[in-house]
Amino acid sequence: MDLAAILFYVFALVTIGSAAVVVFSRNIVHAAFSLMFTLMGVAALYVLLYADFLAATQLLVYVGGILILILFGVMLTSQGYTLNFREATVNVVPAGLLSVAAAILLIYAFSTGGWVITEVDERTDTVYDLGMMLMTDYLLVFIVAGVLLLVAIIGAIVMSTRLSVNTED
Amino acid sequence: MNETLSSMPFLPALLLHAAIPLTIILVYALVAIWAERKVAGFIQDRLGPMRVGGWHGWAQSIADLLKLIQKEDIIPADASRFWFKFAPFMMFAASYAAFAVIPFSSGYIGSMVNIGVFYLLAVTSVLTLSVIMGGWASNNKWSLLGAMRSAAQMVSYEVPTIATVLTVVLVAGSLNLMEITELQSGNDTLGFLPNWLIFQNPFLITAFIMFFISILAESHRVPFDLPESESELVAGYQTEYSGMRWAMFMLAEYADMLLLSLLGATLFFGGWNSPFGDFLAGPFWGFFWFMLKGLVLVFVMMWIRWTLPRYRVDQLMAICWNILIPLSFVNLVLAALWEMIF
Amino acid sequence: MVQAVKNSWATFKSIFTGMGITGRHLVGPTVTLQYPEERATLPKNARARLFVNMDDCIGCTLCAKACPVNCIDIETVPTTADVDLGKTSTGNPKRFWLTRFNIDMAKCMYCDLCVHPCPTNCIYMEQEYEYSEYDRSNLLYKFSQLSPVEVDDVKAKAEAEAIQKQKEKEEKARQKAEEARLKKEQEAAEKARAADDGTGAVPAADAAKAAGTAAPDAADAARVAGTAAKPAPGSPSKQDDTQNPSKGEA
Ligand code: SF4
Ligand code: SF4
């Protein structure tokens, strides 16, 4: 086993383990902190696939942005920040049926699907390639995403200014 | 140095490679903490530490370090043990990891990745999370308040930081800090000035001012030290920490200060390039110039710290959202126009 | 827009002004003294530690009365006739033994109020400011120059003299009463002589009675004076402050 494989398994383990903590933890803040490991693990897996730009984006956007906003939300909204979830499972029957169906589907797909294994090719110019593709092949998607974000920003500004006008008057 | 290392077996080379920035950070932290106290002393017409080690108490930080090592590791009974223990290490790991892309001299950079600055900004955003983690896990109101402030502050100030860095990237055309530095070699701006980026484009001067304000906020320095304001929050998220864990926080803080100063030196002041062209150039002198530039910025941060009072939370946010963010984006566009025209 | 530019100009200007000031102080001289090695010379009227020149103290207790926190504790014993303590350097006669003169520097607040009333200028502040102690009782400064033995001696003498004086007084009173009795007897006798001889016995008995009642009166007066005089020198003789610092507060 070479170093890359060892690293892959380590990071895969970290990702799955922390994801399990996210799901099973009864403390919502612990879950959020574990989510950080999941996101970082995924970022590390991206790095192993030579997608360094994507990995950095993952860190910057998810860990540095979204996760912090989640924590912010949790701490500001819940009464007491060590809110415990109910342990008891509800809707056992439908949930059981659904998960059995999902399991069958996954196992079927896994056993019948042909897995193409390719060696990842080493890239160095990810940023350049990414920029080229965004500006040529995926230009429309890029612009639509930009417009969407602009709309969201304007919406946020409108909402917050209306709120502050109300409070000031 | 990169060439020498690549001829060695992989693992020792890796460790040695990783140890270089660590050594620099540790030595720097010892010096900087002492220097900060000296600067504070002299600004207040005092002398600062004078006792330990002879000349001007130079060994004071070493004595403090030894003292901190001996201290009991206190964990509050109601703290969230795992996260409480983990937070300081994650904080230091984050700022240490960011040093990987800093070109210390023309002969040494931790990693030649193409996304250099972007990686640096991404990794340092983990710092915020560790501050929240430490503050929340302490189970203490002041700590939590400090953590919340820090989260709000760092998330906000990341935007102008990125926008100003983007301005430089736009002018330089690369994310790799080594390439950005190489671009600034030579001495022919207006005939005599070094080719540093800050002299290349008038909008980079404004960008640097905004960048400096933002990194003050990012590294929790006065006048933006709200997350750890001693006088109102009892040091904020560090309140419950003691001994070596507290020292890790301190170390991470000083490392962060150096990191952002070095980033500023690379982006605006030519990194390891000598200000005199080929005179005193070369890998070793490059390191010297680079550290000098970074430390000058660190010194200015200290100077500001002992000059200005602290902002209020709302003022802090107003500066960021009302002034810095719009200005930095306008500045980005103007810099791009300047590049297109000239 | 213009306002915003003006504001930011003002902000930067004030920041740079402030940094200029701190920068000047950064390179300017420091005012610190490296204390154990260097010491500042105190001004002449510095208040640091009280000192009493016992040779000049006349025991007037004015300083103790002036002290707002009662940290000066003085006990005096009047001198006996056979000793002459001499005069102070300012020419005031000394009439008291100072059996106790304690100043509790732990309580002193350096107000200097005790210094000014002193008629002989013998209590004043020294330049000594390094007198910290591990035990608070060590801050009780004792200025009395008399040893315990001497104190007892002096007290006993003073007491003896007081008793002696008392006796003399008693004697005087008795003599006076005696004289009065004799006088009365004489008067009575003369009266009797002036009157008839047969009735002379009764007024004589009256006069004797009167003298008898006068004598116990004088004795009573003596006793009262004795009890009043006794405790004054007697009670403080038991005090010994070397062992019990709390006494000073009491
Ligand atoms: S200085 Fe003031 S407090 Fe001290 S002994 Fe004199 S009168 Fe009392
Ligand atoms: S005022 Fe002066 S003379 Fe009088 S008791 Fe005090 S020290 Fe002695």
Side-chain angles (χ1 to χ4, degrees), chain C residues 50 67-69 71-72 108-114 125:
Chain C
L50 276 172
C67 179
V69 292
C71 55
I72 304 180
C108 176
M109 57 175 179
Y110 312 101
C111 62
D112 228 18
L113 286 180
C114 53
M125 290 285 188

PDB file of all heavy atoms in Angstrom, chain C residues 50 67-69 71-72 108-114 125, ligand 1:
ATOM      1  N   LEU C  50       7.073  56.892  60.957  1.00  0.00           N
ATOM      2  CA  LEU C  50       7.144  57.831  62.075  1.00  0.00           C
ATOM      3  C   LEU C  50       8.341  57.519  62.957  1.00  0.00           C
ATOM      4  O   LEU C  50       8.718  56.357  63.132  1.00  0.00           O
ATOM      5  CB  LEU C  50       5.877  57.737  62.901  1.00  0.00           C
ATOM      6  CG  LEU C  50       4.700  58.557  62.396  1.00  0.00           C
ATOM      7  CD1 LEU C  50       3.481  58.202  63.205  1.00  0.00           C
ATOM      8  CD2 LEU C  50       4.996  60.033  62.471  1.00  0.00           C
ATOM      9  N   CYS C  67      -4.282  61.821  66.508  1.00  0.00           N
ATOM     10  CA  CYS C  67      -4.328  60.742  65.519  1.00  0.00           C
ATOM     11  C   CYS C  67      -5.762  60.298  65.264  1.00  0.00           C
ATOM     12  O   CYS C  67      -6.463  59.908  66.189  1.00  0.00           O
ATOM     13  CB  CYS C  67      -3.508  59.557  66.006  1.00  0.00           C
ATOM     14  SG  CYS C  67      -3.565  58.209  64.854  1.00  0.00           S
ATOM     15  N   PRO C  68      -6.203  60.357  64.014  1.00  0.00           N
ATOM     16  CA  PRO C  68      -7.593  59.970  63.722  1.00  0.00           C
ATOM     17  C   PRO C  68      -7.845  58.477  63.818  1.00  0.00           C
ATOM     18  O   PRO C  68      -8.984  58.055  63.894  1.00  0.00           O
ATOM     19  CB  PRO C  68      -7.830  60.490  62.307  1.00  0.00           C
ATOM     20  CG  PRO C  68      -6.498  60.743  61.739  1.00  0.00           C
ATOM     21  CD  PRO C  68      -5.500  60.827  62.826  1.00  0.00           C
ATOM     22  N   VAL C  69      -6.815  57.655  63.757  1.00  0.00           N
ATOM     23  CA  VAL C  69      -7.042  56.203  63.797  1.00  0.00           C
ATOM     24  C   VAL C  69      -6.517  55.582  65.082  1.00  0.00           C
ATOM     25  O   VAL C  69      -6.433  54.368  65.191  1.00  0.00           O
ATOM     26  CB  VAL C  69      -6.411  55.515  62.579  1.00  0.00           C
ATOM     27  CG1 VAL C  69      -7.122  55.895  61.329  1.00  0.00           C
ATOM     28  CG2 VAL C  69      -4.944  55.823  62.488  1.00  0.00           C
ATOM     29  N   CYS C  71      -3.609  55.217  66.494  1.00  0.00           N
ATOM     30  CA  CYS C  71      -2.542  54.236  66.440  1.00  0.00           C
ATOM     31  C   CYS C  71      -1.379  54.606  67.343  1.00  0.00           C
ATOM     32  O   CYS C  71      -0.415  53.867  67.427  1.00  0.00           O
ATOM     33  CB  CYS C  71      -2.092  53.984  65.012  1.00  0.00           C
ATOM     34  SG  CYS C  71      -1.602  55.420  64.148  1.00  0.00           S
ATOM     35  N   ILE C  72      -1.468  55.714  68.020  1.00  0.00           N
ATOM     36  CA  ILE C  72      -0.424  56.050  68.990  1.00  0.00           C
ATOM     37  C   ILE C  72      -0.969  55.754  70.383  1.00  0.00           C
ATOM     38  O   ILE C  72      -2.080  56.166  70.729  1.00  0.00           O
ATOM     39  CB  ILE C  72      -0.019  57.536  68.885  1.00  0.00           C
ATOM     40  CG1 ILE C  72       0.413  57.850  67.460  1.00  0.00           C
ATOM     41  CG2 ILE C  72       1.097  57.847  69.867  1.00  0.00           C
ATOM     42  CD1 ILE C  72       0.831  59.267  67.256  1.00  0.00           C
ATOM     43  N   CYS C 108      -1.311  53.152  60.771  1.00  0.00           N
ATOM     44  CA  CYS C 108      -1.037  54.532  60.395  1.00  0.00           C
ATOM     45  C   CYS C 108      -1.389  54.779  58.932  1.00  0.00           C
ATOM     46  O   CYS C 108      -1.146  53.955  58.069  1.00  0.00           O
ATOM     47  CB  CYS C 108       0.430  54.843  60.623  1.00  0.00           C
ATOM     48  SG  CYS C 108       0.885  56.475  60.090  1.00  0.00           S
ATOM     49  N   MET C 109      -1.993  55.920  58.672  1.00  0.00           N
ATOM     50  CA  MET C 109      -2.337  56.237  57.284  1.00  0.00           C
ATOM     51  C   MET C 109      -1.536  57.431  56.773  1.00  0.00           C
ATOM     52  O   MET C 109      -1.901  58.059  55.800  1.00  0.00           O
ATOM     53  CB  MET C 109      -3.825  56.514  57.166  1.00  0.00           C
ATOM     54  CG  MET C 109      -4.272  57.625  58.069  1.00  0.00           C
ATOM     55  SD  MET C 109      -5.986  57.991  57.780  1.00  0.00           S
ATOM     56  CE  MET C 109      -6.251  59.270  58.949  1.00  0.00           C
ATOM     57  N   TYR C 110      -0.471  57.762  57.455  1.00  0.00           N
ATOM     58  CA  TYR C 110       0.481  58.775  56.989  1.00  0.00           C
ATOM     59  C   TYR C 110      -0.176  60.128  56.762  1.00  0.00           C
ATOM     60  O   TYR C 110       0.098  60.801  55.786  1.00  0.00           O
ATOM     61  CB  TYR C 110       1.165  58.303  55.701  1.00  0.00           C
ATOM     62  CG  TYR C 110       1.678  56.904  55.814  1.00  0.00           C
ATOM     63  CD1 TYR C 110       0.995  55.844  55.259  1.00  0.00           C
ATOM     64  CD2 TYR C 110       2.844  56.656  56.525  1.00  0.00           C
ATOM     65  CE1 TYR C 110       1.450  54.562  55.411  1.00  0.00           C
ATOM     66  CE2 TYR C 110       3.303  55.370  56.681  1.00  0.00           C
ATOM     67  CZ  TYR C 110       2.615  54.330  56.116  1.00  0.00           C
ATOM     68  OH  TYR C 110       3.071  53.061  56.268  1.00  0.00           O
ATOM     69  N   CYS C 111      -1.088  60.498  57.667  1.00  0.00           N
ATOM     70  CA  CYS C 111      -1.767  61.766  57.456  1.00  0.00           C
ATOM     71  C   CYS C 111      -0.945  62.927  57.992  1.00  0.00           C
ATOM     72  O   CYS C 111      -1.242  64.082  57.712  1.00  0.00           O
ATOM     73  CB  CYS C 111      -3.135  61.754  58.106  1.00  0.00           C
ATOM     74  SG  CYS C 111      -3.037  61.529  59.877  1.00  0.00           S
ATOM     75  N   ASP C 112       0.053  62.634  58.800  1.00  0.00           N
ATOM     76  CA  ASP C 112       0.939  63.676  59.301  1.00  0.00           C
ATOM     77  C   ASP C 112       0.280  64.535  60.382  1.00  0.00           C
ATOM     78  O   ASP C 112       0.838  65.526  60.797  1.00  0.00           O
ATOM     79  CB  ASP C 112       1.396  64.594  58.146  1.00  0.00           C
ATOM     80  CG  ASP C 112       2.899  64.811  58.187  1.00  0.00           C
ATOM     81  OD1 ASP C 112       3.569  64.008  58.861  1.00  0.00           O
ATOM     82  OD2 ASP C 112       3.378  65.762  57.575  1.00  0.00           O
ATOM     83  N   LEU C 113      -0.919  64.154  60.821  1.00  0.00           N
ATOM     84  CA  LEU C 113      -1.638  65.009  61.773  1.00  0.00           C
ATOM     85  C   LEU C 113      -1.000  64.986  63.150  1.00  0.00           C
ATOM     86  O   LEU C 113      -1.163  65.915  63.928  1.00  0.00           O
ATOM     87  CB  LEU C 113      -3.098  64.560  61.883  1.00  0.00           C
ATOM     88  CG  LEU C 113      -3.974  64.908  60.691  1.00  0.00           C
ATOM     89  CD1 LEU C 113      -5.380  64.411  60.914  1.00  0.00           C
ATOM     90  CD2 LEU C 113      -3.980  66.405  60.477  1.00  0.00           C
ATOM     91  N   CYS C 114      -0.293  63.898  63.451  1.00  0.00           N
ATOM     92  CA  CYS C 114       0.318  63.817  64.760  1.00  0.00           C
ATOM     93  C   CYS C 114       1.573  64.663  64.847  1.00  0.00           C
ATOM     94  O   CYS C 114       2.040  64.980  65.934  1.00  0.00           O
ATOM     95  CB  CYS C 114       0.642  62.375  65.100  1.00  0.00           C
ATOM     96  SG  CYS C 114       1.611  61.591  63.824  1.00  0.00           S
ATOM     97  N   MET C 125       8.274  62.310  60.509  1.00  0.00           N
ATOM     98  CA  MET C 125       8.387  61.238  59.525  1.00  0.00           C
ATOM     99  C   MET C 125       9.840  61.075  59.095  1.00  0.00           C
ATOM    100  O   MET C 125      10.504  62.056  58.757  1.00  0.00           O
ATOM    101  CB  MET C 125       7.544  61.563  58.290  1.00  0.00           C
ATOM    102  CG  MET C 125       6.058  61.504  58.543  1.00  0.00           C
ATOM    103  SD  MET C 125       5.488  59.827  58.653  1.00  0.00           S
ATOM    104  CE  MET C 125       3.721  60.080  58.711  1.00  0.00           C
TER     105      MET C 125
HETATM  106  S1  SF4 D   1       0.465  60.015  60.648  1.00  0.00           S
HETATM  107 FE1  SF4 D   1      -1.716  60.167  61.095  1.00  0.00          FE
HETATM  108  S2  SF4 D   1      -2.382  58.060  61.271  1.00  0.00           S
HETATM  109 FE2  SF4 D   1      -0.163  58.034  61.451  1.00  0.00          FE
HETATM  110  S3  SF4 D   1       0.235  58.126  63.616  1.00  0.00           S
HETATM  111 FE3  SF4 D   1       0.264  60.228  62.872  1.00  0.00          FE
HETATM  112  S4  SF4 D   1      -1.798  60.978  63.177  1.00  0.00           S
HETATM  113 FE4  SF4 D   1      -1.886  58.760  63.356  1.00  0.00          FE
END
